Amino acid sequence: MRNTGVEYGSADRTPVVLPEMAELLPPLTGEQLAALEADLLKNGCYSPIIVNEDMVIIDGHNRQRLCEEHGIPYKMAVFSFEDLLEAKRWAIENQRGRRNLEKWELGKIALKLRPDIEAKARANQAAAGGDKSGEGALLTTLSEALPPVSTRKELAESVGIGEVTMGKVMQIDEHAPSTVKEALDSGDLSVNQGYNITRQVQELPEEEREEAAAQAVELLKAKKEVQAIDAEADRRGKIASLFCKAFERAVLLTPTEENVRIWVENTRMRPDEIEDSVKEARELAETFSAIADVLEHLLPQGEEASS
């Protein structure tokens, strides 16, 4: 891949939208799309749309579409790619850092590259064929520069996940009941959980797999909900404990001039440390004042009035 340095304006050339490139990555959420649209309307399209030498859009489909809808001019930077597979890999790598994609989502993106990677593997295998003399010898030598392609490894590396995880995604894609895939799409299951359920139900008669998978998914979702409740209870307990300790320690302080002097002398505070402590003390005073304000709002109206 290289940047050719060539640029076109939207008034000069019309880019080509290739479905397999446009649908390579999952669509933006409604919120993400609205934010992008608002930015384009406010600031214009300041980042160029990336196209290949055939003017096929490689990166920037959403920006290009929104610009066309609103009549916003845009630039296109021409990049040169070895083939469409390299272009897809580049687009995935470029977007992967911008989006918070889960392993299942990344695995599904990788599966879209499978036909291209398997075609590459077949081409490498063909290049390694032939006899051992004449032109066949040249092919054999060429095969040393074209090692066999491991589809699973190539797919994993294309999206930045582990090879074992990619293998599990492939097994789920081929064998999992629809319930498992739907739960993975909604984020209710991890890849490991989806893979384990798929393995378990494979041992059952085909007509029983869907129901068994649905029950397993519901059980895991219930466990997840219980864990979330426990985690929230633990979080609330820690907050309450922190406030209790803060008040317990604060009320032990008697801020007389003598006590403050003893504190400064025994800790051997330097002038800069005293200045820092003054600042921290003021901030703590503001914190406790804010707590008092909140507590007053929590008082029943009658008790607040009587105080």
PDB file of all heavy atoms in Angstrom, residues 228-248:
ATOM      1  N   ALA A 228     -24.012  -8.860  37.806  1.00  0.00           N
ATOM      2  CA  ALA A 228     -24.100  -7.403  37.689  1.00  0.00           C
ATOM      3  C   ALA A 228     -24.713  -6.797  38.951  1.00  0.00           C
ATOM      4  O   ALA A 228     -24.271  -5.760  39.439  1.00  0.00           O
ATOM      5  CB  ALA A 228     -24.930  -7.028  36.464  1.00  0.00           C
ATOM      6  N   ILE A 229     -25.753  -7.476  39.476  1.00  0.00           N
ATOM      7  CA  ILE A 229     -26.384  -6.996  40.719  1.00  0.00           C
ATOM      8  C   ILE A 229     -25.396  -7.052  41.873  1.00  0.00           C
ATOM      9  O   ILE A 229     -25.290  -6.120  42.676  1.00  0.00           O
ATOM     10  CB  ILE A 229     -27.641  -7.837  41.035  1.00  0.00           C
ATOM     11  CG1 ILE A 229     -28.725  -7.572  39.977  1.00  0.00           C
ATOM     12  CG2 ILE A 229     -28.166  -7.532  42.430  1.00  0.00           C
ATOM     13  CD1 ILE A 229     -29.900  -8.516  40.059  1.00  0.00           C
ATOM     14  N   ASP A 230     -24.648  -8.166  41.953  1.00  0.00           N
ATOM     15  CA  ASP A 230     -23.646  -8.303  43.020  1.00  0.00           C
ATOM     16  C   ASP A 230     -22.560  -7.245  42.889  1.00  0.00           C
ATOM     17  O   ASP A 230     -22.100  -6.671  43.887  1.00  0.00           O
ATOM     18  CB  ASP A 230     -23.014  -9.701  42.970  1.00  0.00           C
ATOM     19  CG  ASP A 230     -23.972 -10.789  43.411  1.00  0.00           C
ATOM     20  OD1 ASP A 230     -24.998 -10.453  44.037  1.00  0.00           O
ATOM     21  OD2 ASP A 230     -23.704 -11.982  43.127  1.00  0.00           O
ATOM     22  N   ALA A 231     -22.144  -6.978  41.654  1.00  0.00           N
ATOM     23  CA  ALA A 231     -21.094  -5.984  41.424  1.00  0.00           C
ATOM     24  C   ALA A 231     -21.575  -4.595  41.819  1.00  0.00           C
ATOM     25  O   ALA A 231     -20.827  -3.810  42.410  1.00  0.00           O
ATOM     26  CB  ALA A 231     -20.671  -5.998  39.961  1.00  0.00           C
ATOM     27  N   GLU A 232     -22.846  -4.295  41.506  1.00  0.00           N
ATOM     28  CA  GLU A 232     -23.401  -2.993  41.873  1.00  0.00           C
ATOM     29  C   GLU A 232     -23.521  -2.857  43.385  1.00  0.00           C
ATOM     30  O   GLU A 232     -23.231  -1.803  43.962  1.00  0.00           O
ATOM     31  CB  GLU A 232     -24.777  -2.814  41.213  1.00  0.00           C
ATOM     32  CG  GLU A 232     -25.522  -1.556  41.614  1.00  0.00           C
ATOM     33  CD  GLU A 232     -24.801  -0.275  41.226  1.00  0.00           C
ATOM     34  OE1 GLU A 232     -23.824  -0.325  40.449  1.00  0.00           O
ATOM     35  OE2 GLU A 232     -25.212   0.799  41.720  1.00  0.00           O
ATOM     36  N   ALA A 233     -23.940  -3.942  44.053  1.00  0.00           N
ATOM     37  CA  ALA A 233     -24.029  -3.918  45.512  1.00  0.00           C
ATOM     38  C   ALA A 233     -22.654  -3.716  46.139  1.00  0.00           C
ATOM     39  O   ALA A 233     -22.497  -2.972  47.120  1.00  0.00           O
ATOM     40  CB  ALA A 233     -24.657  -5.219  46.014  1.00  0.00           C
ATOM     41  N   ASP A 234     -21.654  -4.366  45.557  1.00  0.00           N
ATOM     42  CA  ASP A 234     -20.285  -4.213  46.050  1.00  0.00           C
ATOM     43  C   ASP A 234     -19.794  -2.776  45.849  1.00  0.00           C
ATOM     44  O   ASP A 234     -19.155  -2.195  46.731  1.00  0.00           O
ATOM     45  CB  ASP A 234     -19.367  -5.184  45.309  1.00  0.00           C
ATOM     46  CG  ASP A 234     -17.946  -5.173  45.836  1.00  0.00           C
ATOM     47  OD1 ASP A 234     -17.774  -5.380  47.051  1.00  0.00           O
ATOM     48  OD2 ASP A 234     -17.012  -4.956  45.043  1.00  0.00           O
ATOM     49  N   ARG A 235     -20.110  -2.205  44.702  1.00  0.00           N
ATOM     50  CA  ARG A 235     -19.707  -0.818  44.420  1.00  0.00           C
ATOM     51  C   ARG A 235     -20.354   0.148  45.413  1.00  0.00           C
ATOM     52  O   ARG A 235     -19.687   1.031  45.965  1.00  0.00           O
ATOM     53  CB  ARG A 235     -20.123  -0.445  42.997  1.00  0.00           C
ATOM     54  CG  ARG A 235     -19.666   0.938  42.543  1.00  0.00           C
ATOM     55  CD  ARG A 235     -20.246   1.284  41.180  1.00  0.00           C
ATOM     56  NE  ARG A 235     -21.666   1.575  41.269  1.00  0.00           N
ATOM     57  CZ  ARG A 235     -22.164   2.786  41.566  1.00  0.00           C
ATOM     58  NH1 ARG A 235     -21.359   3.802  41.809  1.00  0.00           N
ATOM     59  NH2 ARG A 235     -23.472   2.979  41.619  1.00  0.00           N
ATOM     60  N   ARG A 236     -21.653  -0.035  45.658  1.00  0.00           N
ATOM     61  CA  ARG A 236     -22.361   0.835  46.590  1.00  0.00           C
ATOM     62  C   ARG A 236     -21.815   0.688  48.016  1.00  0.00           C
ATOM     63  O   ARG A 236     -21.684   1.665  48.757  1.00  0.00           O
ATOM     64  CB  ARG A 236     -23.859   0.514  46.564  1.00  0.00           C
ATOM     65  CG  ARG A 236     -24.533   0.892  45.248  1.00  0.00           C
ATOM     66  CD  ARG A 236     -25.942   0.323  45.154  1.00  0.00           C
ATOM     67  NE  ARG A 236     -26.825   0.904  46.166  1.00  0.00           N
ATOM     68  CZ  ARG A 236     -27.508   2.018  45.993  1.00  0.00           C
ATOM     69  NH1 ARG A 236     -27.435   2.657  44.835  1.00  0.00           N
ATOM     70  NH2 ARG A 236     -28.288   2.484  46.934  1.00  0.00           N
ATOM     71  N   GLY A 237     -21.473  -0.550  48.382  1.00  0.00           N
ATOM     72  CA  GLY A 237     -20.912  -0.778  49.711  1.00  0.00           C
ATOM     73  C   GLY A 237     -19.571  -0.081  49.890  1.00  0.00           C
ATOM     74  O   GLY A 237     -19.287   0.488  50.959  1.00  0.00           O
ATOM     75  N   LYS A 238     -18.743  -0.110  48.851  1.00  0.00           N
ATOM     76  CA  LYS A 238     -17.429   0.542  48.921  1.00  0.00           C
ATOM     77  C   LYS A 238     -17.563   2.058  49.054  1.00  0.00           C
ATOM     78  O   LYS A 238     -16.817   2.707  49.795  1.00  0.00           O
ATOM     79  CB  LYS A 238     -16.599   0.192  47.691  1.00  0.00           C
ATOM     80  CG  LYS A 238     -16.083  -1.240  47.702  1.00  0.00           C
ATOM     81  CD  LYS A 238     -15.291  -1.558  46.441  1.00  0.00           C
ATOM     82  CE  LYS A 238     -14.760  -2.980  46.472  1.00  0.00           C
ATOM     83  NZ  LYS A 238     -14.044  -3.347  45.217  1.00  0.00           N
ATOM     84  N   ILE A 239     -18.544   2.629  48.321  1.00  0.00           N
ATOM     85  CA  ILE A 239     -18.767   4.079  48.404  1.00  0.00           C
ATOM     86  C   ILE A 239     -19.216   4.464  49.810  1.00  0.00           C
ATOM     87  O   ILE A 239     -18.709   5.418  50.407  1.00  0.00           O
ATOM     88  CB  ILE A 239     -19.819   4.523  47.370  1.00  0.00           C
ATOM     89  CG1 ILE A 239     -19.247   4.388  45.961  1.00  0.00           C
ATOM     90  CG2 ILE A 239     -20.269   5.960  47.630  1.00  0.00           C
ATOM     91  CD1 ILE A 239     -20.254   4.647  44.858  1.00  0.00           C
ATOM     92  N   ALA A 240     -20.168   3.689  50.362  1.00  0.00           N
ATOM     93  CA  ALA A 240     -20.660   3.972  51.710  1.00  0.00           C
ATOM     94  C   ALA A 240     -19.541   3.862  52.735  1.00  0.00           C
ATOM     95  O   ALA A 240     -19.406   4.706  53.637  1.00  0.00           O
ATOM     96  CB  ALA A 240     -21.798   3.011  52.064  1.00  0.00           C
ATOM     97  N   SER A 241     -18.709   2.831  52.600  1.00  0.00           N
ATOM     98  CA  SER A 241     -17.590   2.636  53.528  1.00  0.00           C
ATOM     99  C   SER A 241     -16.601   3.789  53.450  1.00  0.00           C
ATOM    100  O   SER A 241     -16.086   4.261  54.480  1.00  0.00           O
ATOM    101  CB  SER A 241     -16.892   1.308  53.205  1.00  0.00           C
ATOM    102  OG  SER A 241     -15.754   1.125  54.013  1.00  0.00           O
ATOM    103  N   LEU A 242     -16.345   4.265  52.250  1.00  0.00           N
ATOM    104  CA  LEU A 242     -15.406   5.373  52.059  1.00  0.00           C
ATOM    105  C   LEU A 242     -15.907   6.642  52.749  1.00  0.00           C
ATOM    106  O   LEU A 242     -15.138   7.340  53.424  1.00  0.00           O
ATOM    107  CB  LEU A 242     -15.232   5.624  50.562  1.00  0.00           C
ATOM    108  CG  LEU A 242     -14.181   6.645  50.145  1.00  0.00           C
ATOM    109  CD1 LEU A 242     -12.791   6.191  50.572  1.00  0.00           C
ATOM    110  CD2 LEU A 242     -14.215   6.867  48.645  1.00  0.00           C
ATOM    111  N   PHE A 243     -17.196   6.928  52.624  1.00  0.00           N
ATOM    112  CA  PHE A 243     -17.758   8.110  53.276  1.00  0.00           C
ATOM    113  C   PHE A 243     -17.710   7.973  54.797  1.00  0.00           C
ATOM    114  O   PHE A 243     -17.393   8.931  55.510  1.00  0.00           O
ATOM    115  CB  PHE A 243     -19.202   8.335  52.807  1.00  0.00           C
ATOM    116  CG  PHE A 243     -19.308   9.200  51.591  1.00  0.00           C
ATOM    117  CD1 PHE A 243     -18.948   8.708  50.344  1.00  0.00           C
ATOM    118  CD2 PHE A 243     -19.751  10.501  51.674  1.00  0.00           C
ATOM    119  CE1 PHE A 243     -19.028   9.496  49.221  1.00  0.00           C
ATOM    120  CE2 PHE A 243     -19.839  11.307  50.550  1.00  0.00           C
ATOM    121  CZ  PHE A 243     -19.481  10.803  49.309  1.00  0.00           C
ATOM    122  N   CYS A 244     -18.023   6.780  55.283  1.00  0.00           N
ATOM    123  CA  CYS A 244     -17.985   6.552  56.730  1.00  0.00           C
ATOM    124  C   CYS A 244     -16.576   6.788  57.285  1.00  0.00           C
ATOM    125  O   CYS A 244     -16.399   7.465  58.311  1.00  0.00           O
ATOM    126  CB  CYS A 244     -18.441   5.131  57.067  1.00  0.00           C
ATOM    127  SG  CYS A 244     -20.203   4.853  56.840  1.00  0.00           S
ATOM    128  N   LYS A 245     -15.590   6.244  56.619  1.00  0.00           N
ATOM    129  CA  LYS A 245     -14.198   6.395  57.074  1.00  0.00           C
ATOM    130  C   LYS A 245     -13.758   7.851  57.012  1.00  0.00           C
ATOM    131  O   LYS A 245     -13.051   8.343  57.910  1.00  0.00           O
ATOM    132  CB  LYS A 245     -13.272   5.530  56.221  1.00  0.00           C
ATOM    133  CG  LYS A 245     -13.412   4.038  56.488  1.00  0.00           C
ATOM    134  CD  LYS A 245     -12.510   3.217  55.570  1.00  0.00           C
ATOM    135  CE  LYS A 245     -12.675   1.728  55.843  1.00  0.00           C
ATOM    136  NZ  LYS A 245     -11.864   0.895  54.910  1.00  0.00           N
ATOM    137  N   ALA A 246     -14.176   8.552  55.937  1.00  0.00           N
ATOM    138  CA  ALA A 246     -13.803   9.956  55.800  1.00  0.00           C
ATOM    139  C   ALA A 246     -14.368  10.780  56.956  1.00  0.00           C
ATOM    140  O   ALA A 246     -13.670  11.617  57.540  1.00  0.00           O
ATOM    141  CB  ALA A 246     -14.298  10.507  54.464  1.00  0.00           C
ATOM    142  N   PHE A 247     -15.625  10.532  57.317  1.00  0.00           N
ATOM    143  CA  PHE A 247     -16.240  11.280  58.414  1.00  0.00           C
ATOM    144  C   PHE A 247     -15.635  10.887  59.760  1.00  0.00           C
ATOM    145  O   PHE A 247     -15.400  11.733  60.624  1.00  0.00           O
ATOM    146  CB  PHE A 247     -17.758  11.066  58.414  1.00  0.00           C
ATOM    147  CG  PHE A 247     -18.499  12.094  57.627  1.00  0.00           C
ATOM    148  CD1 PHE A 247     -18.645  11.966  56.260  1.00  0.00           C
ATOM    149  CD2 PHE A 247     -19.042  13.212  58.239  1.00  0.00           C
ATOM    150  CE1 PHE A 247     -19.312  12.915  55.516  1.00  0.00           C
ATOM    151  CE2 PHE A 247     -19.722  14.174  57.514  1.00  0.00           C
ATOM    152  CZ  PHE A 247     -19.859  14.028  56.140  1.00  0.00           C
ATOM    153  N   GLU A 248     -15.392   9.580  59.931  1.00  0.00           N
ATOM    154  CA  GLU A 248     -14.809   9.119  61.204  1.00  0.00           C
ATOM    155  C   GLU A 248     -13.456   9.768  61.460  1.00  0.00           C
ATOM    156  O   GLU A 248     -13.147  10.183  62.576  1.00  0.00           O
ATOM    157  CB  GLU A 248     -14.651   7.596  61.174  1.00  0.00           C
ATOM    158  CG  GLU A 248     -15.962   6.837  61.313  1.00  0.00           C
ATOM    159  CD  GLU A 248     -15.790   5.350  61.043  1.00  0.00           C
ATOM    160  OE1 GLU A 248     -14.639   4.927  60.784  1.00  0.00           O
ATOM    161  OE2 GLU A 248     -16.793   4.617  61.071  1.00  0.00           O
TER     162      GLU A 248
END
